[in-house]
Amino acid sequence: QVTVSEWGGGSVQAGGSRRLSCLVRGHTVNSYALGWIRQRPGEAAASVAAIHSSGLQTGYKDSLKDRFTISLDSDDSGHGAKRTVYLQMDGVRPDDSAMYYCVFKRWDGVIDIMKGNYDLRGQGTQVIVSS
């Protein structure tokens, strides 16, 4: 069973940086995508970034690609391995305040995640940016 858990949220000053982390366990497919979506109060969730398990394909929301970077830890090995995905947020702004969720999609899912389609979502970690 795949599990997803994220952490790293908190309060940050505008212009500062924050790194979110997400641990994925129990995946048994060799090809998958991980990503981040965010949701502000009263709004629908929006995709932020995604990355394929090979590390060779990424996707970003256009308005965030100059400030946010998604990355993976080193290769996992074998079934049931764990993998960590990161979201580095630089130059944060008050409108980056949101609940950030880590998502998992089997197979070649970078485009799927950027379209809002995923198989599993974590519980979320809150980011609050103060001006």
Side-chain angles (χ1 to χ4, degrees):
Q1 181 179 354
V2 181
T3 60
V4 176
S5 58
E6 61 277 79
W7 70 93
S11 297
V12 57
Q13 292 270 42
S17 297
R18 196 82 182 182
R19 189 175 82 159
L20 306 181
S21 303
C22 171
L23 178 64
V24 179
R25 291 177 183 263
H27 49 283
T28 57
V29 293
N30 293 324
S31 177
Y32 54 90
L34 298 171
W36 294 90
I37 63 174
R38 70 182 186 185
Q39 188 168 23
R40 302 176 187 138
E43 297 183 10
S47 298
V48 173
I51 186 167
H52 187 258
S53 54
S54 66
L56 298 178
Q57 183 186 10
T58 58
Y60 288 94
K61 181 178 176 65
D62 282 345
S63 61
L64 299 176
K65 61 184 178 182
D66 292 334
R67 299 189 293 116
F68 288 16
T69 303
I70 190 169
S71 62
L72 289 167
D73 64 353
S74 55
D75 288 346
D76 55 2
S77 57
H79 294 308
K82 55 183 180 180
R83 197 80 186 270
T84 303
V85 61
Y86 305 98
L87 182 69
Q88 178 67 39
M89 305 187 296
D90 297 317
V92 296
R93 304 168 181 170
D95 62 359
D96 291 323
S97 297
M99 184 70 80
Y100 285 74
Y101 298 93
C102 180
V103 296
F104 169 87
K105 183 73 172 71
R106 293 175 181 84
W107 311 121
D108 299 329
V110 170
I111 294 176
D112 285 331
I113 290 176
M114 296 312 297
K115 290 181 178 180
N117 300 318
Y118 49 87
D119 294 320
L120 191 63
R121 191 191 78 176
Q123 294 296 311
T125 185
Q126 182 80 46
V127 174
I128 300 172
V129 181
S130 56
S131 57

